[in-house]
Amino acid sequence: MSDELRIKFWGVRGSHPAPGAGTVNYGGNTACVEIRAGERTIILDAGTGIIPLGRELAQRRALEVLLLFSHLHHDHTQGFPFFLPGYLPNVRLHIFGPGGTPETLSQVLEHNQSSEMFPVSLRDMASAKDIQSVRESQIIVWDEAGVRLAESTIGVDHDAVLIRIHKSYAHPGGVYVYRITWRGKSVVYATDTEGYVGTDRKLVQFAKEADVLIHDAQYSEEHYRGQLAGFPSTQGYGHSTVTMACEVAAASEAGQLILFHHDPSYSDALVAGMETSAQALFNKARAAYEGLELALSVSPSPNRAERSASGDEAGRLRSVPVGEGLG
Ligand SMILES: [Zn+2]
Ligand SMILES: [Zn+2]
């Protein structure tokens, strides 16, 4: 088993796909990030970036995949009907996301593939699918025994992938922020979130000391404030500026910040300029682009030091007072 937690960006654009000559450097596909924890594959969102990822997973013969939806806006779901592993009968998909009842998520996905909307129904995709809406208080655990939901990390194996949830209200309809931890390394995925005056303190606590923070940075300062010619102010739209993303990264002491969910109307030059301005505020900042890969080294084997490191992590997070609480 690999001793790296790997992160790969397959779709980094927000709102709608943005193909064309002006976006080739950063890419035009909508939100999709792949996390590999050893042999386990976790996907964050199913924007159009999941389509090329699906082809690769089919080639790789990945038989079990965990898919997390931050929320169910189009740019986070529209690639799912074209996700090749979904059509393979030997594949099992574990799918989690927000919703008022455990069935809400499957109902929305079924609706997206109703006969008026799409030629193939969710049921007719041949893979085995466990689809469930989850609550903020639940922890998704993936260990030797498989994928399950837990209310605490007590008794969880040191090699388990742990996924914690923070429900943010800083986006219309709410959005889930996920923290994925494996062998002491953590990635926080905070897309579709708007900063608060004085920084989003709950998000800062949830993201505390994450090795990688992936944060919404859709808008330039001018655009957000309505000072960009031809564009209205985007305050209240539920997306952040570079400054907001950098404030969260600095306050949470993240190892590195990845700017994400680029505005579909922004050219490569504009995103590059935002990346430069981010680096002046938080020096370990960069803009996500399609194909960007990060690798975090984790401890190679179950030894005492590692157990205590992941125990600290679990303990610290259990004490975080977010929403319904974590344990
Ligand atoms: Zn979005
Ligand atoms: Zn959204």
Side-chain angles (χ1 to χ4, degrees):
M1 182 177 278
S2 160
D3 290 323
E4 284 181 336
L5 182 64
R6 301 185 70 84
I7 305 161
K8 185 169 180 184
F9 292 81
W10 292 84
V12 301
R13 200 58 67 166
S15 306
H16 61 77
T23 58
V24 288
N25 291 351
Y26 291 94
N29 280 305
T30 50
C32 181
V33 180
E34 176 193 15
I35 311 264
R36 292 179 80 179
E39 302 303 312
R40 286 164 281 194
T41 300
I42 297 134
I43 303 171
L44 294 157
D45 280 329
T48 57
I50 203 172
I51 302 168
L53 169 57
R55 287 187 216 114
E56 186 177 297
L57 290 176
Q59 277 185 342
R60 225 193 271 163
R61 299 185 193 284
L63 297 179
E64 195 169 16
V65 173
L66 201 167
L67 170 58
L68 302 167
F69 285 102
S70 61
H71 63 314
L72 300 170
H73 288 164
H74 277 155
D75 51 328
H76 300 260
T77 61
Q78 64 202 163
F80 184 74
F82 303 96
F83 181 53
L84 185 52
Y87 291 86
L88 303 177
N90 56 343
V91 168
R92 174 167 291 275
L93 303 179
H94 307 273
I95 304 176
F96 299 102
T101 71
E103 295 79 32
T104 305
L105 178 59
S106 61
Q107 287 163 355
V108 173
L109 296 178
E110 276 165 22
H111 174 72
N112 285 351
Q113 291 181 235
S114 59
S115 57
E116 299 85 356
M117 313 274 278
F118 195 74
V120 184
S121 71
L122 187 66
R123 201 164 298 175
D124 286 337
M125 293 172 84
S127 59
K129 290 176 282 299
D130 310 315
I131 306 175
Q132 198 173 332
S133 292
V134 283
R135 299 188 309 275
E136 190 182 34
S137 61
Q138 293 176 305
I139 299 169
I140 301 164
V141 178
W142 192 355
D143 60 12
E144 292 286 296
V147 176
R148 67 179 186 282
L149 294 173
E151 295 288 338
S152 83
T153 56
I154 294 165
V156 166
D157 186 71
H158 82 281
D159 192 48
V161 176
L162 301 177
I163 299 161
R164 294 176 177 82
I165 303 162
H166 164 56
K167 182 169 184 180
S168 166
Y169 295 92
H171 191 69
V175 64
Y176 276 4
V177 177
Y178 291 105
R179 182 175 181 123
I180 297 129
T181 303
W182 183 52
R183 294 194 192 174
K185 295 284 194 224
S186 285
V187 182
V188 170
Y189 179 68
T191 189
D192 295 64
T193 189
E194 182 168 352
Y196 295 140
V197 173
T199 316
D200 184 338
R201 307 310 305 182
K202 284 185 178 172
L203 176 56
V204 166
Q205 279 186 303
F206 184 76
K208 201 74 190 164
E209 292 173 20
D211 297 280
V212 176
L213 170 64
I214 302 165
H215 196 292
D216 188 307
Q218 178 151 351
Y219 300 126
S220 68
E221 308 299 324
E222 297 74 24
H223 189 174
Y224 184 82
R225 296 204 190 101
Q227 296 162 348
L228 188 66
F231 291 87
S233 163
T234 58
Q235 188 182 57
Y237 280 25
H239 297 288
S240 289
T241 63
V242 162
T243 304
M244 292 168 183
C246 289
E247 283 172 353
V248 174
S252 61
E253 301 172 86
Q256 51 181 309
L257 167 66
I258 309 295
L259 308 172
F260 189 70
H261 207 272
H262 308 314
D263 191 273
S265 71
Y266 287 8
S267 66
D268 287 326
L270 191 45
V271 177
M274 290 165 70
E275 183 172 32
T276 303
S277 54
Q279 287 160 352
L281 299 170
F282 186 81
N283 72 350
K284 290 268 177 66
R286 63 199 296 191
Y289 60 86
E290 273 176 40
L292 171 63
E293 263 190 285
L294 308 172
L296 305 173
S297 295
V298 298
S299 300
S301 61
N303 57 39
R304 275 181 71 84
E306 181 197 314
R307 266 203 297 276
S308 105
S310 37
D312 286 346
E313 163 98 342
R316 188 173 65 238
L317 280 160
R318 270 203 302 277
S319 69
V320 170
V322 286
E324 301 163 55
L326 285 170

